[in-house]
């Protein structure tokens, strides 16, 4: 049995949670950003740059990508980056409401309570940053399809425990891997690289807390509860990931939407990128007993495994 498999008592779990929250508060005090002043909002968009690393485009590696001019490729990555940012705003609003519900009427002197409010403040700044970034990229407001919006409305009002925190973790980790590539890529427009850097630094703390909360919430969870929530997390993950790229990005990049959708759906390169980016996340969910057979169906449909 590894150290991570050793059962923790309620006392040791609570102490660990307290210590983790305090470390995150200290880290936040030392290293946080104000996007309003850190990001260059004034310089006009330079269309010689991509909006994201080309390798992350849904069409990269397809015959359609090969036919596109460099200008079309750059425009597509800018539209796709804006769509990812818009999806991030949607889920950050869900996240904030779930965390507020979880900590409602709890002990405000607890560092975990104070960290929860710190995380919500971070997410508010991130959402504004993403919104301004998408607008500067010259994109319209991209929104998830109606079914995803309505399911999100239910999820944010009802999800709790490991279902809430593991779904939060999925959204954060998938975006984190993409943005780590984008922020280091000098082909990406500088202001987007700054946005990505801010998000990566601050989300690393959020992911640490989400992992700790997921583990703690699962302590003592029975077989039935674990299997039900494993499926709920997988379904939520499918809708989060499948909402990242709005179908309108192709039209707004001047492409044939029908052909683009067909080639994107069959793009094995992009599927491989998604799977490789989620290897650590899937390992964590597996260690928590959340990769059940029904859950795997949705992870495979989302190309996360």
């Amino acid at each position: 049995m590894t150290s991570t498999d050793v059962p923790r008592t309620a006392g040791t779990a609570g102490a660990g949670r307290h210590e983790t929250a305090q470390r995150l508060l200290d880290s936040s005090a030392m290293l946080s950003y104000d996007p309003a002043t850190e990001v260059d909002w004034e310089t006009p968009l330079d269309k010689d740059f991509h909006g994201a690393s080309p390798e992350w485009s849904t069409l990269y590696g397809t015959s359609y990508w090969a036919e596109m001019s460099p200008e079309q490729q750059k425009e597509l990555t800018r539209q796709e980056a804006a769509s990812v940012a818009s999806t991030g705003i949607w889920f950050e609003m869900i996240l904030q409401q779930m965390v507020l519900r979880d900590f409602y009427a709890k002990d405000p002197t607890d560092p975990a309570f104070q960290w929860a409010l710190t995380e919500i403040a971070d997410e508010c700044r991130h959402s504004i940053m993403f919104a301004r970034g998408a607008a500067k990229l010259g994109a319209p407001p991209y929104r998830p399809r109606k079914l995803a919006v309505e399911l999100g409305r239910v999820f944010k009002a009802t999800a709790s425990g490991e279902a809430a925190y593991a779904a939060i973790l999925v959204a954060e980790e998938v975006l984190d891997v993409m943005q780590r590539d984008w922020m280091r890529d000098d082909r990406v427009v500088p202001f987007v690289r700054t946005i990505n850097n801010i998000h990566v630094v601050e989300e690393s703390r959020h992911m640490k807390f989400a992992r700790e909360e997921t583990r703690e919430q699962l302590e003592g969870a029975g077989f039935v509860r674990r299997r039900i929530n494993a499926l709920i997390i997988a379904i939520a993950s499918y809708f989060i990931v499948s909402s990242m790229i709005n179908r309108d990005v192709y039209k707004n990049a001047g492409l044939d939407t029908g052909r683009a959708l067909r080639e994107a759906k069959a793009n094995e390169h992009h599927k491989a990128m998604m799977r490789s980016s989620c290897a650590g996340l899937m390992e964590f969910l597996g260690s928590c007993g959340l990769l059940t057979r029904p859950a795997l169906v949705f992870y495979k449909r989302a190309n996360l495994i």
Side-chain angles (χ1 to χ4, degrees):
M1 182 161 54
T2 67
S3 60
T4 56
D5 295 325
V6 176
R8 295 183 295 174
T9 65
T12 58
R17 182 172 183 256
H18 179 106
E19 292 169 2
T20 296
Q22 189 58 58
R23 286 198 302 270
L24 294 174
L25 284 169
D26 293 342
S27 174
S28 180
M30 289 188 293
L31 185 59
S32 290
Y33 298 95
D34 180 0
T37 56
E38 295 285 344
V39 180
D40 178 7
W41 300 115
E42 302 304 321
T43 302
L45 174 66
D46 187 341
K47 293 190 175 182
D48 286 335
F49 287 93
H50 286 274
S53 297
E55 292 79 7
W56 275 101
S57 174
T58 55
L59 290 182
Y60 184 86
T62 65
S63 58
Y64 205 174
W65 179 270
E67 294 173 20
M68 293 162 60
S69 67
E71 291 73 25
Q72 285 179 310
Q73 292 171 352
K74 291 169 184 174
E75 181 60 33
L76 177 60
T77 63
R78 290 194 293 267
Q79 293 297 322
E80 288 178 322
S83 180
V84 169
S86 296
T87 302
I89 295 169
W90 168 63
F91 194 77
E92 283 177 345
M93 294 182 74
I94 293 173
L95 179 161
Q96 291 171 56
Q97 293 177 73
M98 291 193 297
V99 173
L100 277 173
R101 279 196 298 103
D102 186 32
F103 282 88
Y104 175 72
K106 289 186 177 179
D107 178 6
T109 66
D110 182 353
F113 181 99
Q114 295 168 27
W115 167 252
L117 294 184
T118 301
E119 179 170 345
I120 290 167
D122 287 346
E123 299 296 9
C124 286
R125 290 194 302 274
H126 294 169
S127 293
I128 296 169
M129 175 176 72
F130 284 161
R132 293 184 69 180
K136 185 166 180 175
L137 285 168
Y142 289 116
R143 296 184 180 90
R145 58 194 185 278
K146 185 174 177 59
L147 177 60
V149 170
E150 295 309 316
L151 289 175
R153 197 184 304 280
V154 174
F155 188 70
K156 69 181 177 59
T158 60
S160 61
E162 64 271 18
Y165 283 101
I168 288 171
L169 184 63
V170 170
E172 291 175 336
E173 293 227 9
V174 171
L175 192 55
D176 179 74
V177 174
M178 291 182 186
Q179 291 187 323
R180 285 180 185 274
D181 283 349
W182 302 355
M183 74 183 194
R184 302 185 184 105
D185 193 338
D186 59 12
R187 296 169 297 175
V188 174
V189 66
F191 84 91
V192 169
R193 294 176 64 191
T194 303
I195 287 173
N196 293 332
N197 182 68
I198 291 172
H199 199 247
V200 163
V201 169
E202 298 186 346
E203 286 296 316
S204 66
R205 296 189 285 260
H206 301 181
M207 291 186 291
K208 173 68 173 175
F209 189 67
R211 283 179 179 248
E212 289 295 314
E213 286 294 310
T214 299
R215 289 192 188 99
E216 180 170 324
Q217 297 287 346
L218 281 167
E219 288 185 357
F223 175 80
V224 174
R225 170 182 154 185
R226 195 179 294 262
R227 288 185 70 83
I228 290 172
N229 282 332
L231 182 58
I232 291 172
I233 294 162
I235 293 171
S237 301
Y238 169 77
F239 278 99
I240 292 165
V241 172
S242 64
S243 297
M244 283 189 169
I245 303 298
N246 190 292
R247 61 179 289 143
D248 288 343
V249 299
Y250 306 115
K251 177 185 68 177
N252 293 329
L255 304 179
D256 179 330
T257 299
R259 180 184 175 188
L261 287 170
R262 289 192 299 273
E263 296 209 21
K265 185 176 181 180
N267 189 354
E268 292 301 326
H269 169 82
H270 190 258
K271 293 175 185 178
M273 293 283 284
M274 293 297 294
R275 285 193 295 268
S276 64
S277 73
C278 293
L281 171 63
M282 292 298 119
E283 182 180 352
F284 172 76
L285 294 176
S287 73
C288 294
L290 295 173
L291 290 185
T292 60
R293 187 172 296 175
L296 285 172
V297 172
F298 287 90
Y299 290 124
K300 288 176 181 177
R301 286 187 66 186
N303 300 307
L304 298 183
I305 199 167

PDB file of all heavy atoms in Angstrom, residues 133-147:
ATOM      1  N   GLY A 133     -10.336  39.369 -23.030  1.00  0.00           N
ATOM      2  CA  GLY A 133      -9.436  38.724 -23.988  1.00  0.00           C
ATOM      3  C   GLY A 133     -10.156  38.262 -25.231  1.00  0.00           C
ATOM      4  O   GLY A 133      -9.677  38.455 -26.356  1.00  0.00           O
ATOM      5  N   ALA A 134     -11.339  37.644 -25.051  1.00  0.00           N
ATOM      6  CA  ALA A 134     -12.120  37.174 -26.200  1.00  0.00           C
ATOM      7  C   ALA A 134     -12.534  38.351 -27.077  1.00  0.00           C
ATOM      8  O   ALA A 134     -12.489  38.272 -28.311  1.00  0.00           O
ATOM      9  CB  ALA A 134     -13.341  36.401 -25.713  1.00  0.00           C
ATOM     10  N   ALA A 135     -12.926  39.452 -26.442  1.00  0.00           N
ATOM     11  CA  ALA A 135     -13.329  40.634 -27.210  1.00  0.00           C
ATOM     12  C   ALA A 135     -12.142  41.189 -28.001  1.00  0.00           C
ATOM     13  O   ALA A 135     -12.281  41.574 -29.173  1.00  0.00           O
ATOM     14  CB  ALA A 135     -13.880  41.701 -26.270  1.00  0.00           C
ATOM     15  N   LYS A 136     -10.963  41.204 -27.392  1.00  0.00           N
ATOM     16  CA  LYS A 136      -9.785  41.741 -28.077  1.00  0.00           C
ATOM     17  C   LYS A 136      -9.367  40.833 -29.232  1.00  0.00           C
ATOM     18  O   LYS A 136      -8.785  41.308 -30.222  1.00  0.00           O
ATOM     19  CB  LYS A 136      -8.629  41.913 -27.093  1.00  0.00           C
ATOM     20  CG  LYS A 136      -7.414  42.582 -27.721  1.00  0.00           C
ATOM     21  CD  LYS A 136      -6.406  43.064 -26.704  1.00  0.00           C
ATOM     22  CE  LYS A 136      -5.212  43.715 -27.411  1.00  0.00           C
ATOM     23  NZ  LYS A 136      -4.248  44.311 -26.491  1.00  0.00           N
ATOM     24  N   LEU A 137      -9.680  39.542 -29.146  1.00  0.00           N
ATOM     25  CA  LEU A 137      -9.382  38.619 -30.230  1.00  0.00           C
ATOM     26  C   LEU A 137     -10.346  38.782 -31.414  1.00  0.00           C
ATOM     27  O   LEU A 137     -10.207  38.111 -32.430  1.00  0.00           O
ATOM     28  CB  LEU A 137      -9.428  37.173 -29.729  1.00  0.00           C
ATOM     29  CG  LEU A 137      -8.228  36.725 -28.885  1.00  0.00           C
ATOM     30  CD1 LEU A 137      -8.526  35.393 -28.203  1.00  0.00           C
ATOM     31  CD2 LEU A 137      -6.966  36.626 -29.738  1.00  0.00           C
ATOM     32  N   GLY A 138     -11.319  39.655 -31.254  1.00  0.00           N
ATOM     33  CA  GLY A 138     -12.262  39.921 -32.341  1.00  0.00           C
ATOM     34  C   GLY A 138     -13.328  38.859 -32.480  1.00  0.00           C
ATOM     35  O   GLY A 138     -13.834  38.614 -33.582  1.00  0.00           O
ATOM     36  N   ALA A 139     -13.688  38.234 -31.361  1.00  0.00           N
ATOM     37  CA  ALA A 139     -14.669  37.148 -31.396  1.00  0.00           C
ATOM     38  C   ALA A 139     -16.011  37.601 -30.836  1.00  0.00           C
ATOM     39  O   ALA A 139     -16.067  38.458 -29.953  1.00  0.00           O
ATOM     40  CB  ALA A 139     -14.152  35.959 -30.583  1.00  0.00           C
ATOM     41  N   PRO A 140     -17.082  36.997 -31.309  1.00  0.00           N
ATOM     42  CA  PRO A 140     -18.402  37.258 -30.727  1.00  0.00           C
ATOM     43  C   PRO A 140     -18.538  36.482 -29.421  1.00  0.00           C
ATOM     44  O   PRO A 140     -17.673  35.658 -29.087  1.00  0.00           O
ATOM     45  CB  PRO A 140     -19.359  36.699 -31.790  1.00  0.00           C
ATOM     46  CG  PRO A 140     -18.594  35.570 -32.387  1.00  0.00           C
ATOM     47  CD  PRO A 140     -17.151  36.016 -32.413  1.00  0.00           C
ATOM     48  N   PRO A 141     -19.615  36.692 -28.673  1.00  0.00           N
ATOM     49  CA  PRO A 141     -19.810  35.904 -27.436  1.00  0.00           C
ATOM     50  C   PRO A 141     -20.194  34.463 -27.777  1.00  0.00           C
ATOM     51  O   PRO A 141     -21.269  34.217 -28.312  1.00  0.00           O
ATOM     52  CB  PRO A 141     -20.949  36.640 -26.718  1.00  0.00           C
ATOM     53  CG  PRO A 141     -21.682  37.363 -27.806  1.00  0.00           C
ATOM     54  CD  PRO A 141     -20.657  37.726 -28.834  1.00  0.00           C
ATOM     55  N   TYR A 142     -19.301  33.533 -27.506  1.00  0.00           N
ATOM     56  CA  TYR A 142     -19.588  32.115 -27.738  1.00  0.00           C
ATOM     57  C   TYR A 142     -20.223  31.529 -26.473  1.00  0.00           C
ATOM     58  O   TYR A 142     -19.691  31.696 -25.376  1.00  0.00           O
ATOM     59  CB  TYR A 142     -18.303  31.354 -28.065  1.00  0.00           C
ATOM     60  CG  TYR A 142     -17.729  31.674 -29.416  1.00  0.00           C
ATOM     61  CD1 TYR A 142     -16.471  32.281 -29.535  1.00  0.00           C
ATOM     62  CD2 TYR A 142     -18.422  31.359 -30.574  1.00  0.00           C
ATOM     63  CE1 TYR A 142     -15.930  32.560 -30.778  1.00  0.00           C
ATOM     64  CE2 TYR A 142     -17.891  31.647 -31.835  1.00  0.00           C
ATOM     65  CZ  TYR A 142     -16.654  32.248 -31.925  1.00  0.00           C
ATOM     66  OH  TYR A 142     -16.121  32.528 -33.160  1.00  0.00           O
ATOM     67  N   ARG A 143     -21.324  30.836 -26.667  1.00  0.00           N
ATOM     68  CA  ARG A 143     -22.012  30.217 -25.524  1.00  0.00           C
ATOM     69  C   ARG A 143     -22.224  28.727 -25.792  1.00  0.00           C
ATOM     70  O   ARG A 143     -22.388  28.323 -26.942  1.00  0.00           O
ATOM     71  CB  ARG A 143     -23.367  30.884 -25.285  1.00  0.00           C
ATOM     72  CG  ARG A 143     -23.266  32.353 -24.894  1.00  0.00           C
ATOM     73  CD  ARG A 143     -24.631  32.942 -24.581  1.00  0.00           C
ATOM     74  NE  ARG A 143     -24.524  34.357 -24.194  1.00  0.00           N
ATOM     75  CZ  ARG A 143     -24.578  35.367 -25.042  1.00  0.00           C
ATOM     76  NH1 ARG A 143     -24.736  35.128 -26.339  1.00  0.00           N
ATOM     77  NH2 ARG A 143     -24.480  36.605 -24.618  1.00  0.00           N
ATOM     78  N   PRO A 144     -22.238  27.913 -24.735  1.00  0.00           N
ATOM     79  CA  PRO A 144     -22.519  26.489 -24.938  1.00  0.00           C
ATOM     80  C   PRO A 144     -23.920  26.297 -25.504  1.00  0.00           C
ATOM     81  O   PRO A 144     -24.783  27.180 -25.387  1.00  0.00           O
ATOM     82  CB  PRO A 144     -22.419  25.903 -23.525  1.00  0.00           C
ATOM     83  CG  PRO A 144     -21.622  26.900 -22.746  1.00  0.00           C
ATOM     84  CD  PRO A 144     -21.950  28.238 -23.324  1.00  0.00           C
ATOM     85  N   ARG A 145     -24.134  25.131 -26.125  1.00  0.00           N
ATOM     86  CA  ARG A 145     -25.465  24.848 -26.652  1.00  0.00           C
ATOM     87  C   ARG A 145     -26.478  24.790 -25.511  1.00  0.00           C
ATOM     88  O   ARG A 145     -26.125  24.589 -24.346  1.00  0.00           O
ATOM     89  CB  ARG A 145     -25.465  23.537 -27.451  1.00  0.00           C
ATOM     90  CG  ARG A 145     -25.007  22.312 -26.686  1.00  0.00           C
ATOM     91  CD  ARG A 145     -24.731  21.173 -27.671  1.00  0.00           C
ATOM     92  NE  ARG A 145     -24.386  19.923 -27.019  1.00  0.00           N
ATOM     93  CZ  ARG A 145     -23.178  19.614 -26.577  1.00  0.00           C
ATOM     94  NH1 ARG A 145     -22.190  20.516 -26.682  1.00  0.00           N
ATOM     95  NH2 ARG A 145     -22.941  18.438 -26.024  1.00  0.00           N
ATOM     96  N   LYS A 146     -27.747  24.963 -25.864  1.00  0.00           N
ATOM     97  CA  LYS A 146     -28.805  25.128 -24.865  1.00  0.00           C
ATOM     98  C   LYS A 146     -28.867  23.975 -23.872  1.00  0.00           C
ATOM     99  O   LYS A 146     -29.057  24.180 -22.668  1.00  0.00           O
ATOM    100  CB  LYS A 146     -30.154  25.299 -25.564  1.00  0.00           C
ATOM    101  CG  LYS A 146     -31.305  25.602 -24.602  1.00  0.00           C
ATOM    102  CD  LYS A 146     -32.585  25.913 -25.351  1.00  0.00           C
ATOM    103  CE  LYS A 146     -33.744  26.150 -24.390  1.00  0.00           C
ATOM    104  NZ  LYS A 146     -33.480  27.275 -23.468  1.00  0.00           N
ATOM    105  N   LEU A 147     -28.696  22.727 -24.358  1.00  0.00           N
ATOM    106  CA  LEU A 147     -28.758  21.574 -23.451  1.00  0.00           C
ATOM    107  C   LEU A 147     -27.679  21.676 -22.381  1.00  0.00           C
ATOM    108  O   LEU A 147     -27.937  21.437 -21.196  1.00  0.00           O
ATOM    109  CB  LEU A 147     -28.603  20.274 -24.236  1.00  0.00           C
ATOM    110  CG  LEU A 147     -28.565  18.986 -23.394  1.00  0.00           C
ATOM    111  CD1 LEU A 147     -29.845  18.828 -22.585  1.00  0.00           C
ATOM    112  CD2 LEU A 147     -28.316  17.768 -24.291  1.00  0.00           C
TER     113      LEU A 147
END
